Amino acid sequence: MVRVKQPQSAIRRGQAAIRGGKGVQKKEKSTTNQNATPSTEGPSQRTTRKRSRPRRGTRVLQDIRKLQKSTSTLIPRAAFCRVVREIVNDHFGIGEYRIQLKALLALQEAAEAYMTCLFEDMQFVAIHAKRVTIMPRDLHLVQKLRKPFEKSR
């Protein structure tokens, strides 16, 4: 096999000249200014590359890892305080009740721990049913299984 030295322009243009494809073609020079900002006329005028998007579920997994590392509460304190005051007013009647901040934080920690365990159990039930999405029937089943066995009379 005899090697033939190719001109420098063919080497710069890529593999088409080496593989013996179509002949070496000259590129047409563009009349637009290369340093100018891209116009908004259409997608063919843009010079930017399309960014690759992450796979489905990647962002969710990042959020889960971030929340598992943190020790802060997930429910905003003011919203939880309003719910607690509403429940206290419904249960004990209308009146001005003061609740210590430590008591509110302890109640919030306990409520978040309960809800986290509840959602974990719901996820296990959904996986057992060969599903990925949790549904209200998973919640009903978990509540039924958690309920202590009542003695029949």
Side-chain angles (χ1 to χ4, degrees):
M1 177 177 214
V2 179
R3 288 191 178 183
V4 178
K5 188 171 182 181
Q6 294 182 351
Q8 206 56 11
S9 61
I11 294 172
R12 280 192 210 120
R13 287 196 187 115
Q15 298 294 324
I18 295 171
R19 291 186 185 147
K22 292 185 178 181
V24 179
Q25 298 174 359
K26 291 185 178 180
K27 287 187 176 180
E28 294 179 20
K29 290 192 175 184
S30 177
T31 57
T32 60
N33 189 357
Q34 299 260 344
N35 296 331
T37 57
S39 63
T40 56
E41 292 175 8
S44 62
Q45 295 292 330
R46 293 184 188 154
T47 58
T48 59
R49 263 190 344 164
K50 185 177 178 183
R51 288 178 51 185
S52 62
R53 295 181 61 148
R55 291 184 147 189
R56 283 181 69 196
T58 305
R59 177 68 184 189
V60 174
L61 292 174
Q62 288 175 352
D63 289 344
I64 289 171
R65 287 188 198 104
K66 184 183 89 172
L67 291 173
Q68 284 176 341
K69 287 179 186 176
S70 70
T71 57
S72 63
T73 56
L74 301 175
I75 304 171
R77 188 181 298 169
F80 187 78
C81 183
R82 281 195 299 270
V83 170
V84 169
R85 290 189 191 283
E86 181 182 331
I87 292 172
V88 167
N89 284 337
D90 289 346
H91 193 270
F92 295 113
I94 298 175
E96 188 67 32
Y97 294 100
R98 293 184 180 204
I99 304 169
Q100 287 186 352
L101 181 64
K102 288 183 179 179
L104 269 175
L105 289 176
L107 192 60
Q108 185 173 359
E109 287 287 330
E112 286 187 6
Y114 176 78
M115 289 176 60
T116 302
C117 291
L118 186 70
F119 277 104
E120 285 177 0
D121 292 343
M122 288 170 59
Q123 186 68 38
F124 285 136
V125 170
I127 290 171
H128 180 73
K130 295 185 173 94
R131 286 184 281 113
V132 179
T133 308
I134 58 173
M135 295 183 175
R137 57 184 174 193
D138 300 329
L139 175 64
H140 298 311
L141 181 60
V142 168
Q143 286 176 338
K144 193 178 284 190
L145 291 174
R146 282 186 174 189
K147 188 187 295 186
F149 294 109
E150 297 177 8
K151 293 182 181 178
S152 58
R153 294 183 183 195

